[in-house]
Amino acid sequence: MCQRDFITSLLRGMTVLLLVMAAALPGYGQIAINKEAVKPVSPDSADVEYFRHKNFWRPLAEVVGFNLALNAFDRYVLKAPGEVVTWASIKKNFRGGFKWDSDMLGTNLFLHPYHGGLYFNAGRSNGYNFWQSELFAIGGSLMWEMFMENEYPSTNDVIATPIGGAVVGEITFRASDAVLDDRTWGWQRAGREIAAFVISPMRGLNRIFTGRAWKRSPTRGRVFGVPPIALRVSLGPKATIFESRQWEHSFGASLQIDLEYGHRFEPNTVPYDYFTFSAELQAVKEQPLLTHFAVKGRLLGLSMLQGKKSHVSVGLFQHFDFYDSDTIKTFDRVPYKMGIPASLGGGVFYRYQPDQSWRFDCYAHANAVFLAGILSDHYWTNKRDYNWASGFSIKGGLNWVFMHNRMSFTISHEFYRLFTWKGYAKGTDLSKVNYRTFNVMGDKSVASFNVTTARFDARIWKNIYGSLVFDNFMRSTNYRDFPHVKSSTQSLRAMISYKF
């Protein structure tokens, strides 16, 4: 194989990594005009048999070794004081018990789930299924909190790390699976192996440990074969308005990626045989690069109707949501922040297609939110500007595709109701608080967050579409000790989309 094959394979793998680490589309549960990027192929029986074999000691050693290596890096390279561990600090952790911590939103609700995904994939790449691999994520998280830091163990981390880690871990595992092909060799094989390692480092390590990274096989060496995948990539300018007062230094660019994996209306008993994830990355002055990350993974799905014109399916879904913005200096305000790594609920899909010229899709989800972080206007530390919370969410949307797939219209809405139920005593002077031991969720409050998205697509040529996307974000927080706060933010994007 030539060097160009290596570069092509590596770029394909990095594209999948981009999809995995940044994938989130505001509110969309489905891609309106769904085109499968590849033809589905069932996994080879020899590969299925191979991946049934489990190895307990290897993933256990990987979880323990990862935690020890990370602690050493933080302690000796980053010089982090919180990683200097002694027997006295371990005893203090057990005696002091769990507390709500004050790390940044991205650390607690994005990086910790990523670390949980590494623990999860230590088991997943050694023959364990989704549920069994979650035990490695739980064990790795508890080990880190109790033994690897001299700060009190974190209540939020032992929830976000294993539960959010299952989301990130399963998606990265399946993404690496789609990259690998043990039939190849040379530059192409090297490109695939490097890309798979970057996407799922634990799986990459296990392929090296077992020799599969260089062993050539008559089969692909994949757990899932070639699954049905639909992909949409959109790029274009973006403008944002805050509080309906002025367009605020927000003209920039937006990259949006949507992926749908599996069949919406086919039943599944294997978790994540159907899921969606998508993302918006932006280049806007003083705003975060990753503004949204979302996943909807179906744990269990049932087909309720497979008619000639109508289809209905229901399922149990795991949700992961992450929204981020930063301070708008003109108003000295942050519009919104929210992260939800642990959410579970029921969902239903419906499709009506009387003929080939048009079809109608809709979906709805109702979820319990076990852990969330939502922007606070008052509870500020040097790292944290959000309240911990729990509550519920309701999501819904519809797609109307017409003119033989030439045009589509999508509208969706997400509603979150989040309760910060463990607040601090009224009159507490937060400037004198030791946040390392101050065990509260934040301001005693009830917050609502609404996200509405409308999108129109029109085909320009073949798989290229012109897209117009409007987003509306509304936050409303009722505080026990402070005035009610509301904010609204709108964005408009004109994009060129390519649908595979």
Side-chain angles (χ1 to χ4, degrees), residues 206-224:
N206 279 287
R207 287 181 64 82
I208 293 173
F209 294 156
T210 60
R212 289 188 68 88
W214 49 82
K215 182 180 179 181
R216 196 175 176 194
S217 169
T219 64
R220 288 185 173 88
R222 296 180 180 178
V223 181
F224 308 104

PDB file of all heavy atoms in Angstrom, residues 206-224:
ATOM      1  N   ASN A 206      -4.937  -2.577  23.798  1.00  0.00           N
ATOM      2  CA  ASN A 206      -5.243  -4.010  23.829  1.00  0.00           C
ATOM      3  C   ASN A 206      -4.924  -4.695  22.507  1.00  0.00           C
ATOM      4  O   ASN A 206      -4.536  -5.861  22.488  1.00  0.00           O
ATOM      5  CB  ASN A 206      -6.710  -4.216  24.199  1.00  0.00           C
ATOM      6  CG  ASN A 206      -6.934  -4.121  25.697  1.00  0.00           C
ATOM      7  OD1 ASN A 206      -6.576  -5.014  26.450  1.00  0.00           O
ATOM      8  ND2 ASN A 206      -7.513  -3.009  26.136  1.00  0.00           N
ATOM      9  N   ARG A 207      -5.065  -3.997  21.409  1.00  0.00           N
ATOM     10  CA  ARG A 207      -4.681  -4.583  20.119  1.00  0.00           C
ATOM     11  C   ARG A 207      -3.169  -4.774  20.046  1.00  0.00           C
ATOM     12  O   ARG A 207      -2.687  -5.727  19.439  1.00  0.00           O
ATOM     13  CB  ARG A 207      -5.191  -3.709  18.973  1.00  0.00           C
ATOM     14  CG  ARG A 207      -6.697  -3.806  18.784  1.00  0.00           C
ATOM     15  CD  ARG A 207      -7.171  -2.956  17.617  1.00  0.00           C
ATOM     16  NE  ARG A 207      -6.645  -3.410  16.339  1.00  0.00           N
ATOM     17  CZ  ARG A 207      -7.155  -4.403  15.612  1.00  0.00           C
ATOM     18  NH1 ARG A 207      -8.196  -5.087  16.059  1.00  0.00           N
ATOM     19  NH2 ARG A 207      -6.618  -4.726  14.444  1.00  0.00           N
ATOM     20  N   ILE A 208      -2.419  -3.858  20.665  1.00  0.00           N
ATOM     21  CA  ILE A 208      -0.967  -4.023  20.724  1.00  0.00           C
ATOM     22  C   ILE A 208      -0.597  -5.180  21.656  1.00  0.00           C
ATOM     23  O   ILE A 208       0.231  -6.035  21.315  1.00  0.00           O
ATOM     24  CB  ILE A 208      -0.306  -2.712  21.198  1.00  0.00           C
ATOM     25  CG1 ILE A 208      -0.494  -1.624  20.137  1.00  0.00           C
ATOM     26  CG2 ILE A 208       1.181  -2.932  21.486  1.00  0.00           C
ATOM     27  CD1 ILE A 208      -0.025  -0.251  20.578  1.00  0.00           C
ATOM     28  N   PHE A 209      -1.232  -5.239  22.829  1.00  0.00           N
ATOM     29  CA  PHE A 209      -0.929  -6.304  23.794  1.00  0.00           C
ATOM     30  C   PHE A 209      -1.212  -7.693  23.220  1.00  0.00           C
ATOM     31  O   PHE A 209      -0.481  -8.648  23.505  1.00  0.00           O
ATOM     32  CB  PHE A 209      -1.751  -6.111  25.065  1.00  0.00           C
ATOM     33  CG  PHE A 209      -1.394  -4.876  25.841  1.00  0.00           C
ATOM     34  CD1 PHE A 209      -2.327  -4.287  26.695  1.00  0.00           C
ATOM     35  CD2 PHE A 209      -0.142  -4.302  25.731  1.00  0.00           C
ATOM     36  CE1 PHE A 209      -2.000  -3.146  27.414  1.00  0.00           C
ATOM     37  CE2 PHE A 209       0.203  -3.154  26.447  1.00  0.00           C
ATOM     38  CZ  PHE A 209      -0.739  -2.584  27.290  1.00  0.00           C
ATOM     39  N   THR A 210      -2.273  -7.818  22.433  1.00  0.00           N
ATOM     40  CA  THR A 210      -2.658  -9.128  21.891  1.00  0.00           C
ATOM     41  C   THR A 210      -2.046  -9.415  20.523  1.00  0.00           C
ATOM     42  O   THR A 210      -2.196 -10.527  19.999  1.00  0.00           O
ATOM     43  CB  THR A 210      -4.185  -9.214  21.775  1.00  0.00           C
ATOM     44  OG1 THR A 210      -4.665  -8.180  20.899  1.00  0.00           O
ATOM     45  CG2 THR A 210      -4.843  -9.063  23.133  1.00  0.00           C
ATOM     46  N   GLY A 211      -1.380  -8.422  19.923  1.00  0.00           N
ATOM     47  CA  GLY A 211      -0.784  -8.606  18.610  1.00  0.00           C
ATOM     48  C   GLY A 211      -1.738  -8.415  17.445  1.00  0.00           C
ATOM     49  O   GLY A 211      -1.328  -8.540  16.281  1.00  0.00           O
ATOM     50  N   ARG A 212      -3.004  -8.093  17.708  1.00  0.00           N
ATOM     51  CA  ARG A 212      -3.954  -7.901  16.611  1.00  0.00           C
ATOM     52  C   ARG A 212      -3.689  -6.627  15.812  1.00  0.00           C
ATOM     53  O   ARG A 212      -4.209  -6.463  14.710  1.00  0.00           O
ATOM     54  CB  ARG A 212      -5.381  -7.893  17.150  1.00  0.00           C
ATOM     55  CG  ARG A 212      -5.869  -9.259  17.620  1.00  0.00           C
ATOM     56  CD  ARG A 212      -7.344  -9.232  17.960  1.00  0.00           C
ATOM     57  NE  ARG A 212      -8.187  -9.051  16.796  1.00  0.00           N
ATOM     58  CZ  ARG A 212      -8.644 -10.034  16.022  1.00  0.00           C
ATOM     59  NH1 ARG A 212      -8.297 -11.296  16.287  1.00  0.00           N
ATOM     60  NH2 ARG A 212      -9.422  -9.789  14.990  1.00  0.00           N
ATOM     61  N   ALA A 213      -2.891  -5.725  16.352  1.00  0.00           N
ATOM     62  CA  ALA A 213      -2.607  -4.476  15.654  1.00  0.00           C
ATOM     63  C   ALA A 213      -1.834  -4.716  14.356  1.00  0.00           C
ATOM     64  O   ALA A 213      -1.891  -3.894  13.440  1.00  0.00           O
ATOM     65  CB  ALA A 213      -1.831  -3.526  16.564  1.00  0.00           C
ATOM     66  N   TRP A 214      -1.103  -5.827  14.253  1.00  0.00           N
ATOM     67  CA  TRP A 214      -0.339  -6.102  13.038  1.00  0.00           C
ATOM     68  C   TRP A 214      -0.680  -7.457  12.419  1.00  0.00           C
ATOM     69  O   TRP A 214      -0.158  -7.815  11.373  1.00  0.00           O
ATOM     70  CB  TRP A 214       1.163  -6.041  13.336  1.00  0.00           C
ATOM     71  CG  TRP A 214       1.560  -6.843  14.545  1.00  0.00           C
ATOM     72  CD1 TRP A 214       1.798  -8.179  14.611  1.00  0.00           C
ATOM     73  CD2 TRP A 214       1.743  -6.330  15.871  1.00  0.00           C
ATOM     74  NE1 TRP A 214       2.117  -8.554  15.890  1.00  0.00           N
ATOM     75  CE2 TRP A 214       2.104  -7.435  16.692  1.00  0.00           C
ATOM     76  CE3 TRP A 214       1.657  -5.071  16.436  1.00  0.00           C
ATOM     77  CZ2 TRP A 214       2.361  -7.291  18.049  1.00  0.00           C
ATOM     78  CZ3 TRP A 214       1.914  -4.934  17.787  1.00  0.00           C
ATOM     79  CH2 TRP A 214       2.259  -6.025  18.573  1.00  0.00           C
ATOM     80  N   LYS A 215      -1.539  -8.220  13.064  1.00  0.00           N
ATOM     81  CA  LYS A 215      -1.888  -9.534  12.527  1.00  0.00           C
ATOM     82  C   LYS A 215      -2.893  -9.391  11.389  1.00  0.00           C
ATOM     83  O   LYS A 215      -3.940  -8.779  11.541  1.00  0.00           O
ATOM     84  CB  LYS A 215      -2.483 -10.415  13.627  1.00  0.00           C
ATOM     85  CG  LYS A 215      -2.835 -11.816  13.165  1.00  0.00           C
ATOM     86  CD  LYS A 215      -3.410 -12.639  14.310  1.00  0.00           C
ATOM     87  CE  LYS A 215      -3.782 -14.034  13.845  1.00  0.00           C
ATOM     88  NZ  LYS A 215      -4.363 -14.836  14.955  1.00  0.00           N
ATOM     89  N   ARG A 216      -2.576  -9.967  10.227  1.00  0.00           N
ATOM     90  CA  ARG A 216      -3.487  -9.911   9.082  1.00  0.00           C
ATOM     91  C   ARG A 216      -4.474 -11.074   9.149  1.00  0.00           C
ATOM     92  O   ARG A 216      -4.118 -12.188   9.516  1.00  0.00           O
ATOM     93  CB  ARG A 216      -2.704  -9.967   7.780  1.00  0.00           C
ATOM     94  CG  ARG A 216      -3.540  -9.536   6.575  1.00  0.00           C
ATOM     95  CD  ARG A 216      -2.705  -9.492   5.328  1.00  0.00           C
ATOM     96  NE  ARG A 216      -3.531  -9.164   4.184  1.00  0.00           N
ATOM     97  CZ  ARG A 216      -3.142  -9.311   2.922  1.00  0.00           C
ATOM     98  NH1 ARG A 216      -1.927  -9.784   2.661  1.00  0.00           N
ATOM     99  NH2 ARG A 216      -3.940  -8.986   1.922  1.00  0.00           N
ATOM    100  N   SER A 217      -5.726 -10.788   8.809  1.00  0.00           N
ATOM    101  CA  SER A 217      -6.799 -11.767   8.947  1.00  0.00           C
ATOM    102  C   SER A 217      -7.667 -11.764   7.693  1.00  0.00           C
ATOM    103  O   SER A 217      -7.757 -10.744   6.991  1.00  0.00           O
ATOM    104  CB  SER A 217      -7.645 -11.432  10.181  1.00  0.00           C
ATOM    105  OG  SER A 217      -8.817 -12.197  10.208  1.00  0.00           O
ATOM    106  N   PRO A 218      -8.344 -12.864   7.388  1.00  0.00           N
ATOM    107  CA  PRO A 218      -9.271 -12.876   6.246  1.00  0.00           C
ATOM    108  C   PRO A 218     -10.573 -12.123   6.536  1.00  0.00           C
ATOM    109  O   PRO A 218     -11.382 -11.927   5.641  1.00  0.00           O
ATOM    110  CB  PRO A 218      -9.532 -14.366   6.018  1.00  0.00           C
ATOM    111  CG  PRO A 218      -9.281 -15.008   7.343  1.00  0.00           C
ATOM    112  CD  PRO A 218      -8.181 -14.213   7.973  1.00  0.00           C
ATOM    113  N   THR A 219     -10.788 -11.726   7.798  1.00  0.00           N
ATOM    114  CA  THR A 219     -11.998 -10.991   8.164  1.00  0.00           C
ATOM    115  C   THR A 219     -11.628  -9.577   8.619  1.00  0.00           C
ATOM    116  O   THR A 219     -10.469  -9.281   8.877  1.00  0.00           O
ATOM    117  CB  THR A 219     -12.760 -11.697   9.297  1.00  0.00           C
ATOM    118  OG1 THR A 219     -11.939 -11.707  10.470  1.00  0.00           O
ATOM    119  CG2 THR A 219     -13.098 -13.125   8.902  1.00  0.00           C
ATOM    120  N   ARG A 220     -12.642  -8.715   8.735  1.00  0.00           N
ATOM    121  CA  ARG A 220     -12.394  -7.319   9.126  1.00  0.00           C
ATOM    122  C   ARG A 220     -11.898  -7.189  10.566  1.00  0.00           C
ATOM    123  O   ARG A 220     -11.249  -6.216  10.914  1.00  0.00           O
ATOM    124  CB  ARG A 220     -13.670  -6.484   8.954  1.00  0.00           C
ATOM    125  CG  ARG A 220     -14.055  -6.204   7.512  1.00  0.00           C
ATOM    126  CD  ARG A 220     -15.265  -5.272   7.477  1.00  0.00           C
ATOM    127  NE  ARG A 220     -15.579  -4.832   6.133  1.00  0.00           N
ATOM    128  CZ  ARG A 220     -16.364  -5.488   5.295  1.00  0.00           C
ATOM    129  NH1 ARG A 220     -16.910  -6.634   5.685  1.00  0.00           N
ATOM    130  NH2 ARG A 220     -16.601  -5.017   4.088  1.00  0.00           N
ATOM    131  N   GLY A 221     -12.259  -8.135  11.423  1.00  0.00           N
ATOM    132  CA  GLY A 221     -11.878  -8.032  12.824  1.00  0.00           C
ATOM    133  C   GLY A 221     -12.732  -7.037  13.583  1.00  0.00           C
ATOM    134  O   GLY A 221     -12.266  -6.392  14.519  1.00  0.00           O
ATOM    135  N   ARG A 222     -13.981  -6.922  13.190  1.00  0.00           N
ATOM    136  CA  ARG A 222     -14.894  -5.957  13.795  1.00  0.00           C
ATOM    137  C   ARG A 222     -15.967  -6.658  14.621  1.00  0.00           C
ATOM    138  O   ARG A 222     -16.463  -7.710  14.243  1.00  0.00           O
ATOM    139  CB  ARG A 222     -15.572  -5.099  12.721  1.00  0.00           C
ATOM    140  CG  ARG A 222     -14.611  -4.230  11.928  1.00  0.00           C
ATOM    141  CD  ARG A 222     -15.357  -3.411  10.892  1.00  0.00           C
ATOM    142  NE  ARG A 222     -14.453  -2.569  10.118  1.00  0.00           N
ATOM    143  CZ  ARG A 222     -14.845  -1.785   9.129  1.00  0.00           C
ATOM    144  NH1 ARG A 222     -16.130  -1.733   8.806  1.00  0.00           N
ATOM    145  NH2 ARG A 222     -13.972  -1.046   8.469  1.00  0.00           N
ATOM    146  N   VAL A 223     -16.351  -6.019  15.720  1.00  0.00           N
ATOM    147  CA  VAL A 223     -17.413  -6.548  16.565  1.00  0.00           C
ATOM    148  C   VAL A 223     -18.770  -6.375  15.906  1.00  0.00           C
ATOM    149  O   VAL A 223     -19.652  -7.227  16.018  1.00  0.00           O
ATOM    150  CB  VAL A 223     -17.411  -5.845  17.931  1.00  0.00           C
ATOM    151  CG1 VAL A 223     -18.501  -6.401  18.840  1.00  0.00           C
ATOM    152  CG2 VAL A 223     -16.049  -5.956  18.598  1.00  0.00           C
ATOM    153  N   PHE A 224     -18.948  -5.262  15.181  1.00  0.00           N
ATOM    154  CA  PHE A 224     -20.265  -4.904  14.658  1.00  0.00           C
ATOM    155  C   PHE A 224     -20.365  -4.956  13.139  1.00  0.00           C
ATOM    156  O   PHE A 224     -21.367  -4.513  12.569  1.00  0.00           O
ATOM    157  CB  PHE A 224     -20.639  -3.489  15.134  1.00  0.00           C
ATOM    158  CG  PHE A 224     -20.522  -3.310  16.619  1.00  0.00           C
ATOM    159  CD1 PHE A 224     -19.456  -2.609  17.162  1.00  0.00           C
ATOM    160  CD2 PHE A 224     -21.452  -3.867  17.478  1.00  0.00           C
ATOM    161  CE1 PHE A 224     -19.336  -2.443  18.529  1.00  0.00           C
ATOM    162  CE2 PHE A 224     -21.336  -3.720  18.844  1.00  0.00           C
ATOM    163  CZ  PHE A 224     -20.279  -3.005  19.373  1.00  0.00           C
TER     164      PHE A 224
END
